[in-house]
PDB file of all heavy atoms in Angstrom:
ATOM      1  N   VAL A 233      12.174  19.187 -24.649  1.00 97.00           N
ATOM      2  CA  VAL A 233      11.730  19.919 -23.461  1.00 97.00           C
ATOM      3  C   VAL A 233      12.808  19.792 -22.389  1.00 97.00           C
ATOM      4  O   VAL A 233      13.056  18.706 -21.863  1.00 97.00           O
ATOM      5  CB  VAL A 233      10.389  19.373 -22.935  1.00 97.00           C
ATOM      6  CG1 VAL A 233       9.954  20.150 -21.690  1.00 97.00           C
ATOM      7  CG2 VAL A 233       9.323  19.437 -24.012  1.00 97.00           C
ATOM      8  N   GLU A 234      13.449  20.911 -22.074  1.00 97.00           N
ATOM      9  CA  GLU A 234      14.482  20.914 -21.048  1.00 97.00           C
ATOM     10  C   GLU A 234      13.873  21.238 -19.690  1.00 97.00           C
ATOM     11  O   GLU A 234      12.813  21.856 -19.586  1.00 97.00           O
ATOM     12  CB  GLU A 234      15.571  21.930 -21.398  1.00 97.00           C
ATOM     13  CG  GLU A 234      16.334  21.578 -22.666  1.00 97.00           C
ATOM     14  CD  GLU A 234      17.505  22.521 -22.904  1.00 97.00           C
ATOM     15  OE1 GLU A 234      17.491  23.639 -22.342  1.00 97.00           O
ATOM     16  OE2 GLU A 234      18.430  22.135 -23.642  1.00 97.00           O
ATOM     17  N   GLY A 235      14.557  20.802 -18.640  1.00 96.00           N
ATOM     18  CA  GLY A 235      14.073  21.078 -17.294  1.00 96.00           C
ATOM     19  C   GLY A 235      15.181  20.971 -16.271  1.00 96.00           C
ATOM     20  O   GLY A 235      16.272  20.455 -16.545  1.00 96.00           O
ATOM     21  N   ASP A 236      14.896  21.470 -15.070  1.00 96.00           N
ATOM     22  CA  ASP A 236      15.819  21.352 -13.948  1.00 96.00           C
ATOM     23  C   ASP A 236      15.411  20.224 -13.007  1.00 96.00           C
ATOM     24  O   ASP A 236      16.253  19.552 -12.433  1.00 96.00           O
ATOM     25  CB  ASP A 236      15.873  22.672 -13.168  1.00 96.00           C
ATOM     26  CG  ASP A 236      16.300  23.835 -14.039  1.00 96.00           C
ATOM     27  OD1 ASP A 236      17.373  23.741 -14.669  1.00 96.00           O
ATOM     28  OD2 ASP A 236      15.551  24.825 -14.110  1.00 96.00           O
ATOM     29  N   LEU A 237      14.078  20.048 -12.850  1.00 96.00           N
ATOM     30  CA  LEU A 237      13.550  19.003 -11.984  1.00 96.00           C
ATOM     31  C   LEU A 237      12.448  18.277 -12.750  1.00 96.00           C
ATOM     32  O   LEU A 237      11.538  18.908 -13.291  1.00 96.00           O
ATOM     33  CB  LEU A 237      12.972  19.611 -10.694  1.00 96.00           C
ATOM     34  CG  LEU A 237      12.467  18.621  -9.645  1.00 96.00           C
ATOM     35  CD1 LEU A 237      13.631  17.820  -9.055  1.00 96.00           C
ATOM     36  CD2 LEU A 237      11.706  19.345  -8.540  1.00 96.00           C
ATOM     37  N   PHE A 238      12.553  16.949 -12.805  1.00 98.00           N
ATOM     38  CA  PHE A 238      11.592  16.145 -13.554  1.00 98.00           C
ATOM     39  C   PHE A 238      10.770  15.297 -12.587  1.00 98.00           C
ATOM     40  O   PHE A 238      11.325  14.601 -11.735  1.00 98.00           O
ATOM     41  CB  PHE A 238      12.311  15.251 -14.559  1.00 98.00           C
ATOM     42  CG  PHE A 238      12.949  16.023 -15.688  1.00 98.00           C
ATOM     43  CD1 PHE A 238      14.191  16.620 -15.540  1.00 98.00           C
ATOM     44  CD2 PHE A 238      12.280  16.163 -16.911  1.00 98.00           C
ATOM     45  CE1 PHE A 238      14.771  17.344 -16.567  1.00 98.00           C
ATOM     46  CE2 PHE A 238      12.853  16.893 -17.952  1.00 98.00           C
ATOM     47  CZ  PHE A 238      14.100  17.480 -17.779  1.00 98.00           C
ATOM     48  N   ILE A 239       9.455  15.373 -12.719  1.00 98.00           N
ATOM     49  CA  ILE A 239       8.526  14.612 -11.883  1.00 98.00           C
ATOM     50  C   ILE A 239       7.958  13.483 -12.727  1.00 98.00           C
ATOM     51  O   ILE A 239       7.294  13.726 -13.745  1.00 98.00           O
ATOM     52  CB  ILE A 239       7.389  15.499 -11.344  1.00 98.00           C
ATOM     53  CG1 ILE A 239       7.941  16.765 -10.695  1.00 98.00           C
ATOM     54  CG2 ILE A 239       6.519  14.703 -10.385  1.00 98.00           C
ATOM     55  CD1 ILE A 239       8.791  16.528  -9.480  1.00 98.00           C
ATOM     56  N   ASP A 240       8.227  12.257 -12.312  1.00 98.00           N
ATOM     57  CA  ASP A 240       7.780  11.080 -13.061  1.00 98.00           C
ATOM     58  C   ASP A 240       6.413  10.627 -12.556  1.00 98.00           C
ATOM     59  O   ASP A 240       6.293  10.032 -11.495  1.00 98.00           O
ATOM     60  CB  ASP A 240       8.805   9.941 -12.912  1.00 98.00           C
ATOM     61  CG  ASP A 240       8.519   8.772 -13.848  1.00 98.00           C
ATOM     62  OD1 ASP A 240       7.435   8.753 -14.467  1.00 98.00           O
ATOM     63  OD2 ASP A 240       9.377   7.871 -13.946  1.00 98.00           O
ATOM     64  N   CYS A 241       5.379  10.937 -13.334  1.00 97.00           N
ATOM     65  CA  CYS A 241       4.016  10.477 -13.050  1.00 97.00           C
ATOM     66  C   CYS A 241       3.537   9.600 -14.199  1.00 97.00           C
ATOM     67  O   CYS A 241       2.364   9.652 -14.602  1.00 97.00           O
ATOM     68  CB  CYS A 241       3.079  11.659 -12.847  1.00 97.00           C
ATOM     69  SG  CYS A 241       3.436  12.681 -11.410  1.00 97.00           S
ATOM     70  N   SER A 242       4.450   8.802 -14.723  1.00 96.00           N
ATOM     71  CA  SER A 242       4.161   7.981 -15.901  1.00 96.00           C
ATOM     72  C   SER A 242       3.525   6.648 -15.544  1.00 96.00           C
ATOM     73  O   SER A 242       3.423   5.758 -16.396  1.00 96.00           O
ATOM     74  CB  SER A 242       5.442   7.753 -16.712  1.00 96.00           C
ATOM     75  OG  SER A 242       6.401   7.029 -15.961  1.00 96.00           O
ATOM     76  N   GLY A 243       3.090   6.470 -14.303  1.00 94.00           N
ATOM     77  CA  GLY A 243       2.381   5.257 -13.922  1.00 94.00           C
ATOM     78  C   GLY A 243       3.306   4.071 -13.779  1.00 94.00           C
ATOM     79  O   GLY A 243       4.503   4.200 -13.480  1.00 94.00           O
ATOM     80  N   PHE A 244       2.741   2.862 -13.987  1.00 94.00           N
ATOM     81  CA  PHE A 244       3.511   1.637 -13.815  1.00 94.00           C
ATOM     82  C   PHE A 244       4.765   1.603 -14.687  1.00 94.00           C
ATOM     83  O   PHE A 244       5.736   0.928 -14.352  1.00 94.00           O
ATOM     84  CB  PHE A 244       2.642   0.422 -14.139  1.00 94.00           C
ATOM     85  CG  PHE A 244       1.583   0.129 -13.115  1.00 94.00           C
ATOM     86  CD1 PHE A 244       0.264  -0.088 -13.497  1.00 94.00           C
ATOM     87  CD2 PHE A 244       1.886   0.070 -11.767  1.00 94.00           C
ATOM     88  CE1 PHE A 244      -0.717  -0.371 -12.558  1.00 94.00           C
ATOM     89  CE2 PHE A 244       0.917  -0.200 -10.817  1.00 94.00           C
ATOM     90  CZ  PHE A 244      -0.393  -0.425 -11.212  1.00 94.00           C
ATOM     91  N   ARG A 245       4.765   2.309 -15.824  1.00 94.00           N
ATOM     92  CA  ARG A 245       5.944   2.297 -16.718  1.00 94.00           C
ATOM     93  C   ARG A 245       7.170   2.876 -16.024  1.00 94.00           C
ATOM     94  O   ARG A 245       8.290   2.463 -16.289  1.00 94.00           O
ATOM     95  CB  ARG A 245       5.668   3.115 -17.983  1.00 94.00           C
ATOM     96  CG  ARG A 245       4.607   2.551 -18.899  1.00 94.00           C
ATOM     97  CD  ARG A 245       4.443   3.461 -20.112  1.00 94.00           C
ATOM     98  NE  ARG A 245       4.091   4.815 -19.714  1.00 94.00           N
ATOM     99  CZ  ARG A 245       4.448   5.913 -20.378  1.00 94.00           C
ATOM    100  NH1 ARG A 245       5.218   5.818 -21.458  1.00 94.00           N
ATOM    101  NH2 ARG A 245       4.067   7.103 -19.967  1.00 94.00           N
ATOM    102  N   SER A 246       6.956   3.869 -15.161  1.00 97.00           N
ATOM    103  CA  SER A 246       8.064   4.561 -14.484  1.00 97.00           C
ATOM    104  C   SER A 246       9.162   4.884 -15.494  1.00 97.00           C
ATOM    105  O   SER A 246      10.329   4.513 -15.332  1.00 97.00           O
ATOM    106  CB  SER A 246       8.623   3.712 -13.337  1.00 97.00           C
ATOM    107  OG  SER A 246       9.489   4.464 -12.513  1.00 97.00           O
ATOM    108  N   LEU A 247       8.785   5.605 -16.536  1.00 97.00           N
ATOM    109  CA  LEU A 247       9.669   5.840 -17.672  1.00 97.00           C
ATOM    110  C   LEU A 247      10.970   6.525 -17.284  1.00 97.00           C
ATOM    111  O   LEU A 247      12.047   6.183 -17.788  1.00 97.00           O
ATOM    112  CB  LEU A 247       8.930   6.676 -18.727  1.00 97.00           C
ATOM    113  CG  LEU A 247       9.725   7.067 -19.965  1.00 97.00           C
ATOM    114  CD1 LEU A 247      10.208   5.825 -20.717  1.00 97.00           C
ATOM    115  CD2 LEU A 247       8.892   7.956 -20.882  1.00 97.00           C
TER     116      LEU A 247
END
Side-chain angles (χ1 to χ4, degrees):
V233 180
E234 295 186 339
D236 302 305
L237 184 67
F238 291 82
I239 309 296
D240 189 350
C241 295
S242 63
F244 288 131
R245 294 180 302 148
S246 192
L247 178 60

